[in-house]
mmCIF file of all heavy atoms in Angstrom:
data_model
loop_
_atom_site.group_PDB
_atom_site.id
_atom_site.type_symbol
_atom_site.label_atom_id
_atom_site.label_comp_id
_atom_site.label_asym_id
_atom_site.label_seq_id
_atom_site.Cartn_x
_atom_site.Cartn_y
_atom_site.Cartn_z
ATOM 1 N N ARG T 1 0.838 -1.190 0.000
ATOM 2 C CA ARG T 1 0.000 0.000 0.000
ATOM 3 C C ARG T 1 0.881 1.250 0.000
ATOM 4 O O ARG T 1 1.309 1.715 1.035
ATOM 5 C CB ARG T 1 -0.930 0.012 1.222
ATOM 6 C CG ARG T 1 -1.992 -1.070 1.197
ATOM 7 C CD ARG T 1 -2.930 -0.923 2.369
ATOM 8 N NE ARG T 1 -4.044 -1.856 2.277
ATOM 9 C CZ ARG T 1 -3.999 -3.103 2.709
ATOM 10 N NH1 ARG T 1 -2.892 -3.556 3.269
ATOM 11 N NH2 ARG T 1 -5.042 -3.884 2.597
ATOM 12 N N PRO T 2 1.174 1.781 -1.178
ATOM 13 C CA PRO T 2 1.991 2.991 -1.251
ATOM 14 C C PRO T 2 1.189 4.219 -0.860
ATOM 15 O O PRO T 2 -0.039 4.220 -0.930
ATOM 16 C CB PRO T 2 2.385 3.039 -2.728
ATOM 17 C CG PRO T 2 1.245 2.373 -3.421
ATOM 18 C CD PRO T 2 0.766 1.295 -2.483
ATOM 19 N N THR T 3 1.861 5.224 -0.455
ATOM 20 C CA THR T 3 1.233 6.497 -0.124
ATOM 21 C C THR T 3 1.589 7.503 -1.200
ATOM 22 O O THR T 3 2.766 7.781 -1.442
ATOM 23 C CB THR T 3 1.725 7.015 1.241
ATOM 24 O OG1 THR T 3 1.400 6.048 2.238
ATOM 25 C CG2 THR T 3 1.068 8.343 1.568
ATOM 26 N N ALA T 4 0.581 8.035 -1.853
ATOM 27 C CA ALA T 4 0.813 9.012 -2.911
ATOM 28 C C ALA T 4 0.680 10.419 -2.346
ATOM 29 O O ALA T 4 -0.177 10.696 -1.515
ATOM 30 C CB ALA T 4 -0.192 8.810 -4.045
ATOM 31 N N SER T 5 1.539 11.311 -2.779
ATOM 32 C CA SER T 5 1.472 12.701 -2.333
ATOM 33 C C SER T 5 1.485 13.604 -3.552
ATOM 34 O O SER T 5 2.052 13.271 -4.579
ATOM 35 C CB SER T 5 2.656 13.031 -1.412
ATOM 36 O OG SER T 5 3.874 12.838 -2.086
ATOM 37 N N GLN T 6 0.862 14.739 -3.440
ATOM 38 C CA GLN T 6 0.810 15.693 -4.530
ATOM 39 C C GLN T 6 1.359 17.023 -4.069
ATOM 40 O O GLN T 6 1.132 17.440 -2.935
ATOM 41 C CB GLN T 6 -0.627 15.886 -5.021
ATOM 42 C CG GLN T 6 -1.243 14.621 -5.614
ATOM 43 C CD GLN T 6 -2.639 14.877 -6.113
ATOM 44 O OE1 GLN T 6 -3.280 15.840 -5.707
ATOM 45 N NE2 GLN T 6 -3.115 14.008 -6.993
ATOM 46 N N THR T 7 2.095 17.663 -4.949
ATOM 47 C CA THR T 7 2.681 18.973 -4.643
ATOM 48 C C THR T 7 2.243 19.950 -5.714
ATOM 49 O O THR T 7 2.401 19.684 -6.907
ATOM 50 C CB THR T 7 4.220 18.895 -4.620
ATOM 51 O OG1 THR T 7 4.606 17.919 -3.656
ATOM 52 C CG2 THR T 7 4.827 20.251 -4.272
ATOM 53 N N ARG T 8 1.668 21.061 -5.299
ATOM 54 C CA ARG T 8 1.253 22.093 -6.253
ATOM 55 C C ARG T 8 2.415 23.034 -6.519
ATOM 56 O O ARG T 8 3.037 23.546 -5.586
ATOM 57 C CB ARG T 8 0.067 22.890 -5.720
ATOM 58 C CG ARG T 8 -1.219 22.071 -5.610
ATOM 59 C CD ARG T 8 -2.371 22.937 -5.171
ATOM 60 N NE ARG T 8 -3.608 22.190 -5.127
ATOM 61 C CZ ARG T 8 -4.397 22.007 -6.179
ATOM 62 N NH1 ARG T 8 -4.072 22.549 -7.333
ATOM 63 N NH2 ARG T 8 -5.506 21.313 -6.068
ATOM 64 N N LEU T 9 2.708 23.240 -7.787
ATOM 65 C CA LEU T 9 3.761 24.165 -8.187
ATOM 66 C C LEU T 9 3.106 25.387 -8.810
ATOM 67 O O LEU T 9 2.326 25.271 -9.760
ATOM 68 C CB LEU T 9 4.709 23.506 -9.193
ATOM 69 C CG LEU T 9 5.473 22.273 -8.673
ATOM 70 C CD1 LEU T 9 6.280 21.661 -9.798
ATOM 71 C CD2 LEU T 9 6.391 22.684 -7.532
ATOM 72 N N THR T 10 3.391 26.552 -8.276
ATOM 73 C CA THR T 10 2.776 27.788 -8.753
ATOM 74 C C THR T 10 3.841 28.684 -9.368
ATOM 75 O O THR T 10 4.897 28.904 -8.763
ATOM 76 C CB THR T 10 2.117 28.548 -7.587
ATOM 77 O OG1 THR T 10 1.179 27.667 -6.946
ATOM 78 C CG2 THR T 10 1.407 29.792 -8.089
ATOM 79 N N PRO T 11 3.609 29.172 -10.599
ATOM 80 C CA PRO T 11 4.585 30.082 -11.206
ATOM 81 C C PRO T 11 4.803 31.303 -10.327
ATOM 82 O O PRO T 11 3.877 31.817 -9.687
ATOM 83 C CB PRO T 11 3.922 30.458 -12.534
ATOM 84 C CG PRO T 11 2.917 29.378 -12.791
ATOM 85 C CD PRO T 11 2.448 28.938 -11.439
ATOM 86 N N THR T 12 6.034 31.771 -10.262
ATOM 87 C CA THR T 12 6.359 32.972 -9.481
ATOM 88 C C THR T 12 6.854 34.055 -10.417
ATOM 89 O O THR T 12 7.366 33.781 -11.499
ATOM 90 C CB THR T 12 7.442 32.658 -8.440
ATOM 91 O OG1 THR T 12 8.613 32.195 -9.129
ATOM 92 C CG2 THR T 12 6.981 31.583 -7.473
ATOM 93 N N LYS T 13 6.694 35.315 -10.006
ATOM 94 C CA LYS T 13 7.147 36.440 -10.820
ATOM 95 C C LYS T 13 8.156 37.276 -10.038
ATOM 96 O O LYS T 13 7.939 37.597 -8.882
ATOM 97 C CB LYS T 13 5.968 37.325 -11.226
ATOM 98 C CG LYS T 13 5.005 36.657 -12.206
ATOM 99 C CD LYS T 13 3.940 37.624 -12.641
ATOM 100 C CE LYS T 13 3.003 36.984 -13.662
ATOM 101 N NZ LYS T 13 1.959 37.914 -14.125
ATOM 102 N N THR T 14 9.246 37.580 -10.687
ATOM 103 C CA THR T 14 10.255 38.450 -10.102
ATOM 104 C C THR T 14 10.712 39.422 -11.172
ATOM 105 O O THR T 14 11.226 39.008 -12.209
ATOM 106 C CB THR T 14 11.458 37.631 -9.590
ATOM 107 O OG1 THR T 14 10.979 36.667 -8.657
ATOM 108 C CG2 THR T 14 12.486 38.530 -8.930
ATOM 109 N N MET T 15 10.491 40.702 -10.949
ATOM 110 C CA MET T 15 10.876 41.753 -11.879
ATOM 111 C C MET T 15 10.369 41.436 -13.290
ATOM 112 O O MET T 15 11.098 41.477 -14.266
ATOM 113 C CB MET T 15 12.392 41.934 -11.893
ATOM 114 C CG MET T 15 12.927 42.357 -10.531
ATOM 115 S SD MET T 15 14.598 42.959 -10.575
ATOM 116 C CE MET T 15 14.504 44.323 -11.694
ATOM 117 N N SER T 16 9.077 41.097 -13.343
ATOM 118 C CA SER T 16 8.384 40.852 -14.605
ATOM 119 C C SER T 16 8.893 39.628 -15.372
ATOM 120 O O SER T 16 8.566 39.434 -16.522
ATOM 121 C CB SER T 16 8.481 42.091 -15.531
ATOM 122 O OG SER T 16 7.898 43.196 -14.891
ATOM 123 N N ILE T 17 9.732 38.791 -14.710
ATOM 124 C CA ILE T 17 10.205 37.568 -15.370
ATOM 125 C C ILE T 17 9.401 36.398 -14.823
ATOM 126 O O ILE T 17 9.383 36.164 -13.610
ATOM 127 C CB ILE T 17 11.711 37.347 -15.114
ATOM 128 C CG1 ILE T 17 12.507 38.518 -15.693
ATOM 129 C CG2 ILE T 17 12.169 36.019 -15.708
ATOM 130 C CD1 ILE T 17 13.991 38.443 -15.409
ATOM 131 N N THR T 18 8.720 35.659 -15.698
ATOM 132 C CA THR T 18 7.875 34.543 -15.276
ATOM 133 C C THR T 18 8.667 33.246 -15.257
ATOM 134 O O THR T 18 9.310 32.895 -16.241
ATOM 135 C CB THR T 18 6.666 34.384 -16.204
ATOM 136 O OG1 THR T 18 5.925 35.610 -16.211
ATOM 137 C CG2 THR T 18 5.785 33.225 -15.745
ATOM 138 N N VAL T 19 8.620 32.561 -14.145
ATOM 139 C CA VAL T 19 9.276 31.260 -14.009
ATOM 140 C C VAL T 19 8.203 30.186 -14.097
ATOM 141 O O VAL T 19 7.272 30.171 -13.291
ATOM 142 C CB VAL T 19 10.029 31.156 -12.665
ATOM 143 C CG1 VAL T 19 10.698 29.785 -12.545
ATOM 144 C CG2 VAL T 19 11.061 32.271 -12.564
ATOM 145 N N SER T 20 8.317 29.298 -15.067
ATOM 146 C CA SER T 20 7.316 28.254 -15.261
ATOM 147 C C SER T 20 7.538 27.112 -14.286
ATOM 148 O O SER T 20 8.656 26.868 -13.839
ATOM 149 C CB SER T 20 7.389 27.717 -16.699
ATOM 150 O OG SER T 20 7.146 28.759 -17.620
ATOM 151 N N PRO T 21 6.471 26.406 -13.944
ATOM 152 C CA PRO T 21 6.625 25.240 -13.067
ATOM 153 C C PRO T 21 7.530 24.186 -13.704
ATOM 154 O O PRO T 21 7.565 24.032 -14.921
ATOM 155 C CB PRO T 21 5.199 24.712 -12.912
ATOM 156 C CG PRO T 21 4.316 25.844 -13.335
ATOM 157 C CD PRO T 21 5.088 26.639 -14.330
ATOM 158 N N THR T 22 8.247 23.444 -12.880
ATOM 159 C CA THR T 22 9.085 22.359 -13.367
ATOM 160 C C THR T 22 8.200 21.157 -13.714
ATOM 161 O O THR T 22 7.353 20.755 -12.926
ATOM 162 C CB THR T 22 10.106 21.937 -12.303
ATOM 163 O OG1 THR T 22 10.903 23.067 -11.970
ATOM 164 C CG2 THR T 22 10.992 20.808 -12.814
ATOM 165 N N VAL T 23 8.399 20.609 -14.900
ATOM 166 C CA VAL T 23 7.620 19.466 -15.329
ATOM 167 C C VAL T 23 8.329 18.189 -14.878
ATOM 168 O O VAL T 23 9.491 17.976 -15.199
ATOM 169 C CB VAL T 23 7.432 19.444 -16.858
ATOM 170 C CG1 VAL T 23 6.665 18.202 -17.292
ATOM 171 C CG2 VAL T 23 6.725 20.714 -17.311
ATOM 172 N N THR T 24 7.648 17.358 -14.127
ATOM 173 C CA THR T 24 8.232 16.102 -13.653
ATOM 174 C C THR T 24 7.375 14.926 -14.120
ATOM 175 O O THR T 24 6.185 15.061 -14.355
ATOM 176 C CB THR T 24 8.321 16.081 -12.118
ATOM 177 O OG1 THR T 24 7.001 16.242 -11.580
ATOM 178 C CG2 THR T 24 9.206 17.184 -11.598
ATOM 179 N N THR T 25 8.017 13.779 -14.266
ATOM 180 C CA THR T 25 7.297 12.575 -14.662
ATOM 181 C C THR T 25 6.588 11.981 -13.456
ATOM 182 O O THR T 25 7.181 11.782 -12.403
ATOM 183 C CB THR T 25 8.271 11.539 -15.241
ATOM 184 O OG1 THR T 25 8.923 12.106 -16.376
ATOM 185 C CG2 THR T 25 7.531 10.273 -15.663
#
């Protein structure tokens, strides 16, 4: 019985530069 966990990744903005969420398998 494995335990699954989920993590929400939210884009952040710094000085008008948008950082996209990291895509993981």
Side-chain angles (χ1 to χ4, degrees):
R1 292 185 173 85
T3 300
S5 60
Q6 296 182 340
T7 302
R8 293 184 177 274
L9 298 175
T10 304
T12 60
K13 292 185 178 181
T14 303
M15 298 194 59
S16 300
I17 299 176
T18 302
V19 180
S20 300
T22 301
V23 177
T24 59
T25 300

